[in-house]
C-alpha cells in the first residue's frame, strides 16, 4: 500500500492539532446525544404518541421502539430541476425500510433555492445564508428525538452543506446523503457560452438566448456543468457519505432507484444497536475533511467550497483555513477536465470513469486518506468502484482505466501538476483564485482598477464602452456582512468578451463568483470585506492592482503613505426588499469568508 504523501500528512496533522480542543468538545457532545439526548428512550408516552399518530401501517413498529426509525430530511420542491425527483423518494424509502423490518418518516423539509434562477437578481442576496437556514431547519427536524438514523435528500449548492451542518449537531446518528443525479446532457456547453457572449455584445436577442438556455437546462436533475452542486456530490463520495458511486447516476433509472434502496438498507445496518456503528460525527473527521479538499483540487471543483468546507468542518469541531487548501492544491494533480474546465459535462465525466476512477488513482498514489470511516462496508477503497446492475441486482465493479483521456487522466500524466486553486494575499487581504480553467498567460494581471459597488454598474459601464482596456474590475461591498455575498456570475460573459478582444482583464471582489467560474481570472472571497474596514475599500479608480496566481499576491501598487491616509467610503444602504431585510440578523453576525461566513456557527462558538 502506497504511503500517504508527506504534505497531505503534514496538513492533516496540523488540522488535528489546531482542532484538538474543539473536536474533543464535539465528540463529547455526540456521545451525550446518543446516551441521554435526542432518542426515543427519553420520550414520554404523550411525546411518543404524537410522534407516531399519523404513521399508518408503520405505527405498530414505531410504537414498540425495537426497530430503527429513519428520519428523512428532504429539500424537495418541484421548481428546482435537481430536487424535483425527490418528490417520490419518501415513499420509496419507506417501502425499502419495511423490507428489512424498520421504518422511516419525513422528519422535516428544508428550503432549497436555485442560484440559477436568482443569479444576478435580488434573491441571490439570500443564497449564502440559505445554507444556515437549511442547517437550522435540519436541526428542527431532528430535534423530535424520534429517530435512530437519518437520510438527507439534497444535492445543490447550499443545500448539502446546510444539511450536513445541521445533521452534525446530531452526529450520534448514522447518516447517509442520497443524491438524485444530473439531468441528461443538453446543448453543448461551448455553444451555450457562445450564445451568452453574443447576447452580452448585443448580437443576438433575448429569444435566441432563452432558446439556448432552455436547451441546456431542459429536464429533471442537476445542471450538468461542474459547479458547486456537482462538486458537492463529488465531495460526498470523497468523504464516504454516499453509497459508493451514487453521485452522477441519472434520475429515473433503475440504477438510481437501487442506490436509494441500498442507502435505506445500509443506514439501518450502521445503527448503534449493531456491531458496525458508524455515526455521522465520526465519519466526518479531520481526514474526511482533507479528502474533500483533495477531491476539489483533483477535479477542478467549485471555489464556493473554500467557504462551505470550513463551515462543515466547524460544525464537527474541526478548523481548516485557506492555507490548508493552498498547500494541498500544490501537491494534488488535476486529473479531470469537466466543463467549464473542459468540453464534456458531468455525464461525460461519469461515463469516462468519474469519481470512482479519481478516488482509485488518488488512493493508489498516496494522495487520499484511505482509512476513514465511511457509510459503506469498509474504508474508502469501496469508493474506487462503480455501481452497476447485473441481473437486476446492484453490485460494484472496478474501473480499470479512464475511458476518455480528454476527460480523465492518471496521476502519472495529469492535466496539471497541481489542483489549480491558489491562495493570494497582500495589502488587500486574502482571497482565492481558481486557475484550472484559466490560460497560464493570464495568471498575472497588472492593470488600473475600475471600482464598483454594484454588479449592475459593471454591466452598464461595459455596455457604454468604458471598460475597453486592460482593467482589474473591482466589485466591493459584496461580502456576507454587506449584502449576503451573492455570486457575481452574470459578469462572466461581459468579462469574457473583454478578454476575447485582447485586453488583460481580472475580477477582484469581496463577494463570490460562480462555482462554474471559467476562463477569466477572478480573485474572489477577498477577506476582510469592505464593510467593517477591509482594505479593498481603499481602492480608487485608476489605482494599479496586481493579481498574480504565480506568486500568490493581491496588492494595490499605491504609495504606502497615500494608502494609509485613505478612508473607506460609506457602504451602500442595506437591502430592504424581496425578503432580504429578514436576513439582517445573519448579515450583522456573519464572520469571515475564510471561516465559513456563518453567523450561526460564529454565535454558537461564542456560547461554548
Amino acid at each position: 500500500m502506497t504511503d500517504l504523501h508527506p504534505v497531505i500528512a503534514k496538513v492533516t496533522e496540523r488540522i488535528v492539532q489546531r482542532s484538538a480542543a474543539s473536536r474533543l468538545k464535539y465528540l463529547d457532545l455526540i456521545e451525550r446525544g446518543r446516551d441521554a439526548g435526542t432518542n426515543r428512550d427519553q420520550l414520554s408516552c404523550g411525546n411518543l404518541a404524537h410522534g407516531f399518530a399519523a404513521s399508518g401501517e408503520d405505527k405498530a413498529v414505531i410504537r414498540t421502539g425495537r426497530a430503527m426509525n429513519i428520519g428523512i430530511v428532504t429539500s424537495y420542491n418541484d421548481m428546482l430541476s435537481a430536487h424535483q425527483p425527490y418528490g417520490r423518494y419518501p415513499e420509496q424509502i419507506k417501502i425499502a425500510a419495511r423490507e428489512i423490518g424498520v421504518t422511516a418518516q419525513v422528519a422535516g423539509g428544508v428550503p432549497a433555492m436555485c442560484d440559477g434562477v436568482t443569479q444576478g437578481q435580488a434573491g441571490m442576496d439570500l443564497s449564502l445564508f440559505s445554507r444556515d437556514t437549511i442547517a437550522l431547519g435540519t436541526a428542527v427536524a431532528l430535534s423530535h428525538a424520534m429517530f435512530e438514523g437519518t437520510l438527507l435528500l439534497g444535492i445543490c449548492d447550499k443545500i448539502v452543506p446546510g444539511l450536513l451542518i445541521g445533521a452534525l449537531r446530531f452526529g450520534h446518528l448514522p447518516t447517509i446523503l442520497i443524491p438524485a443525479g444530473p439531468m441528461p446532457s443538453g446543448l453543448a456547453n461551448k455553444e451555450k457560452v457562445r450564445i451568452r457572449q453574443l447576447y452580452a455584445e448585443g448580437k443576438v436577442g433575448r429569444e435566441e438566448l432563452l432558446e439556448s438556455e432552455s436547451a441546456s437546462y431542459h429536464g429533471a436533475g442537476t445542471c450538468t456543468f461542474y459547479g458547486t452542486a456537482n462538486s458537492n456530490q463529488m465531495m460526498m463520495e470523497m468523504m464516504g457519505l454516499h453509497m459508493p458511486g451514487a453521485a452522477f447516476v441519472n434520475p429515473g433509472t433503475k440504477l438510481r432507484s437501487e442506490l436509494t434502496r441500498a442507502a435505506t438498507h445500509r443506514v439501518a445496518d450502521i445503527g448503534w444497536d449493531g456491531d458496525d456503528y458508524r455515526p455521522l460525527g465520526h465519519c466526518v473527521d479531520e481526514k474526511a475533511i482533507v479528502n474533500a479538499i483533495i477531491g476539489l483540487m483533483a477535479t477542478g471543483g467549485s471555489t464556493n467550497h473554500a467557504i462551505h468546507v470550513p463551515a462543515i468542518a466547524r460544525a464537527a469541531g474541526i478548523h481548516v483555513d485557506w492555507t490548508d487548501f493552498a498547500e494541498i492544491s500544490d501537491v494534488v494533480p488535476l486529473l479531470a477536465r469537466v466543463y467549464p474546465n473542459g468540453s464534456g459535462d458531468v455525464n461525460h465525466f461519469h461515463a469516462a470513469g468519474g469519481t470512482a476512477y479519481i478516488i482509485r488513482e488518488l488512493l493508489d498514489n498516496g494522495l487520499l486518506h484511505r482509512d476513514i470511516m465511511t457509510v459503506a462496508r469498509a474504508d474508502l477503497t469501496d469508493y474506487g468502484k462503480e455501481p452497476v446492475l447485473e441481473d437486476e441486482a446492484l453490485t460494484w465493479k472496478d474501473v480499470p482505466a479512464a475511458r476518455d483521456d480528454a476527460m480523465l487522466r492518471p496521476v502519472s500524466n495529469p492535466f496539471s501538476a497541481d489542483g489549480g486553486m491558489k491562495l493570494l494575499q497582500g495589502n488587500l487581504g486574502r482571497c482565492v483564485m481558481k486557475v484550472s480553467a484559466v490560460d497560464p498567460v493570464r495568471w498575472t494581471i497588472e492593470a488600473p482598477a475600475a471600482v464598483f459597488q454594484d454588479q449592475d454598474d459593471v454591466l452598464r459601464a461595459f455596455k457604454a464602452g468604458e471598460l475597453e482596456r486592460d482593467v482589474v474590475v473591482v466589485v466591493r461591498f459584496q461580502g456576507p456582512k454587506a449584502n449576503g455575498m451573492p455570486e457575481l456570475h452574470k459578469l462572466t460573459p461581459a468579462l469574457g468578451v473583454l478578454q476575447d478582444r485582447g485586453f488583460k482583464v481580472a475580477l477582484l471582489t469581496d463577494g463570490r463568483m460562480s462555482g462554474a467560474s471559467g476562463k477569466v481570472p477572478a480573485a474572489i472571497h477577498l477577506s476582510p470585506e469592505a464593510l467593517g474596514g477591509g482594505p479593498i475599500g481603499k481602492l480608487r479608480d485608476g489605482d494599479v492592482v496586481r493579481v498574480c496566481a504565480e506568486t500568490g499576491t493581491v496588492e494595490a501598487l499605491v504609495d504606502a503613505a497615500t494608502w494609509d491616509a485613505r478612508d473607506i467610503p460609506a457602504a451602500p444602504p442595506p437591502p430592504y426588499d424581496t425578503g432580504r431585510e429578514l436576513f439582517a440578523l445573519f448579515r450583522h453576525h456573519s464572520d469571515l469568508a475564510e471561516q465559513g461566513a456563518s453567523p450561526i456557527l460564529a454565535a454558537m462558538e461564542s456560547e461554548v
Side-chain angles (χ1 to χ4, degrees):
M1 186 176 295
T2 306
D3 291 338
L4 187 68
H5 192 287
V7 171
I8 293 173
K10 180 193 75 172
V11 171
T12 305
E13 181 56 28
R14 185 171 68 216
I15 293 169
V16 169
Q17 294 299 321
R18 182 193 301 144
S19 309
S22 55
R23 179 65 175 171
L24 184 63
K25 185 177 293 185
Y26 174 75
L27 293 176
D28 178 65
L29 167 78
I30 64 174
E31 186 69 21
R32 287 185 281 113
R34 174 187 170 183
D35 293 340
T38 50
N39 61 66
R40 276 189 287 170
D41 288 344
Q42 307 301 314
L43 297 181
S44 71
C45 291
N47 297 148
L48 191 58
H50 276 82
F52 62 65
S55 57
E57 63 185 282
D58 294 322
K59 182 183 291 190
V61 178
I62 296 173
R63 176 174 177 159
T64 66
R66 290 195 289 268
M68 177 183 282
N69 189 32
I70 301 165
I72 304 167
V73 182
T74 178
S75 55
Y76 163 74
N77 65 53
D78 64 7
M79 183 271 295
L80 264 71
S81 62
H83 288 206
Q84 185 269 352
Y86 285 136
R88 298 183 179 274
Y89 274 43
E91 284 305 315
Q92 295 173 14
I93 289 166
K94 290 178 182 182
I95 292 168
R98 291 172 193 139
E99 292 173 346
I100 54 171
V102 304
T103 55
Q105 294 178 289
V106 175
V110 297
M113 67 179 294
C114 180
D115 288 5
V117 176
T118 59
Q119 196 70 251
Q121 307 299 318
M124 177 56 85
D125 287 12
L126 279 61
S127 173
L128 179 59
F129 292 145
S130 77
R131 180 195 65 190
D132 292 54
T133 306
I134 291 161
L136 294 172
T138 303
V140 170
L142 297 179
S143 69
H144 293 91
M146 286 288 295
F147 311 109
E148 292 78 42
T150 311
L151 294 175
L152 303 178
L153 310 186
I155 198 164
C156 283
D157 298 22
K158 268 60 65 181
I159 293 94
V160 166
L163 288 169
L164 269 180
I165 291 167
L168 279 164
R169 307 317 295 174
F170 301 81
H172 62 289
L173 297 176
T175 300
I176 299 178
L177 286 101
I178 298 182
M183 69 178 70
S185 300
L187 182 71
N189 290 304
K190 185 176 181 180
E191 177 64 9
K192 176 179 68 177
V193 172
R194 187 183 73 84
I195 297 297
R196 284 180 175 177
Q197 292 201 176
L198 288 174
Y199 179 77
E201 294 177 277
K203 295 179 179 178
V204 301
R206 179 180 172 86
E207 187 59 35
E208 291 91 339
L209 179 63
L210 182 58
E211 183 63 29
S212 169
E213 299 292 340
S214 299
S216 299
Y217 309 114
H218 60 88
T222 320
C223 304
T224 60
F225 63 85
Y226 195 49
T228 310
N230 287 316
S231 296
N232 274 337
Q233 304 314 305
M234 175 279 303
M235 289 199 315
M236 295 306 99
E237 301 272 333
M238 294 284 173
M239 296 173 74
L241 299 179
H242 278 170
M243 294 304 292
F248 300 124
V249 176
N250 297 128
T253 62
K254 173 69 172 175
L255 181 56
R256 175 86 275 156
S257 297
E258 286 302 310
L259 284 163
T260 300
R261 179 170 176 252
T264 307
H265 291 181
R266 182 59 185 160
V267 79
D269 291 339
I270 57 178
W272 66 63
D273 288 337
D275 58 3
D276 193 18
Y277 179 38
R278 297 180 179 230
L280 178 64
H282 284 277
C283 290
V284 180
D285 66 2
E286 297 89 343
K287 292 180 179 179
I289 291 294
V290 168
N291 278 3
I293 299 171
I294 291 167
L296 287 169
M297 304 311 163
T299 60
S302 168
T303 51
N304 277 325
H305 288 301
I307 299 174
H308 295 321
V309 169
I312 294 167
R314 282 174 75 186
I318 300 165
H319 294 278
V320 298
D321 60 30
W322 291 342
T323 300
D324 301 324
F325 279 71
E327 291 185 12
I328 289 171
S329 181
D330 285 345
V331 300
V332 173
L334 182 66
L335 304 183
R337 283 212 176 276
V338 193
Y339 178 79
N341 302 335
S343 58
D345 64 19
V346 294
N347 290 310
H348 303 121
F349 169 70
H350 184 67
T355 308
Y357 175 83
I358 296 287
I359 288 175
R360 194 201 68 194
E361 273 294 300
L362 293 171
L363 287 175
D364 288 351
N365 288 275
L367 292 168
L368 201 60
H369 288 288
R370 187 185 300 270
D371 57 334
I372 65 171
M373 180 181 284
T374 72
V375 300
R377 288 174 173 78
D379 56 21
L380 198 64
T381 305
D382 282 356
Y383 290 78
K385 300 180 180 182
E386 61 182 357
V388 296
L389 291 177
E390 287 190 344
D391 298 325
E392 299 297 302
L394 178 63
T395 189
W396 281 264
K397 286 190 168 184
D398 290 330
V399 181
R403 303 182 183 106
D404 181 353
D405 64 6
M407 180 69 63
L408 288 173
R409 295 272 184 88
V411 169
S412 60
N413 181 33
F415 292 104
S416 171
D418 61 46
M421 191 177 290
K422 303 293 185 180
L423 170 64
L424 280 55
Q425 49 194 335
N427 66 358
L428 288 169
R430 283 163 67 91
C431 61
V432 296
M433 181 189 288
K434 177 179 168 182
V435 297
S436 51
V438 177
D439 189 316
V441 302
R442 298 190 177 98
W443 285 16
T444 300
I445 302 293
E446 185 175 308
V451 182
F452 302 90
Q453 298 185 176
D454 185 278
Q455 59 182 323
D456 289 330
D457 290 337
V458 179
L459 295 180
R460 279 189 282 270
F462 167 76
K463 291 175 182 177
E466 296 168 5
L467 299 177
E468 298 284 325
R469 54 189 168 86
D470 292 352
V471 63
V472 175
V473 174
V474 177
V475 191
R476 63 190 179 194
F477 293 105
Q478 301 298 309
K481 287 182 177 294
N483 62 355
M485 209 178 190
E487 286 189 354
L488 306 176
H489 178 55
K490 76 175 184 178
L491 299 181
T492 301
L495 297 179
V497 168
L498 293 173
Q499 183 172 277
D500 289 349
R501 290 175 180 171
F503 299 115
K504 296 178 180 178
V505 180
L507 173 70
L508 175 65
T509 180
D510 53 4
R512 293 186 297 131
M513 192 57 163
S514 171
S517 53
K519 65 183 183 180
V520 177
I524 58 177
H525 309 166
L526 187 66
S527 183
E529 62 178 287
L531 184 65
I536 188 176
K538 293 186 174 186
L539 283 173
R540 302 292 185 264
D541 284 330
D543 287 345
V544 176
V545 173
R546 181 178 176 84
V547 175
C548 182
E550 295 280 1
T551 60
T553 56
V554 56
E555 56 187 346
L557 304 181
V558 178
D559 173 74
T562 302
W563 185 253
D564 293 341
R566 284 183 180 174
D567 294 326
I568 294 175
Y576 196 80
D577 64 351
T578 323
R580 292 181 289 179
E581 62 280 3
L582 294 173
F583 286 75
L585 181 70
F586 282 15
R587 292 195 302 273
H588 292 169
H589 294 280
S590 182
D591 51 17
L592 299 176
E594 188 169 2
Q595 296 172 307
S598 173
I600 63 171
L601 293 175
M604 180 186 75
E605 290 174 354
S606 72
E607 287 190 345
V608 296

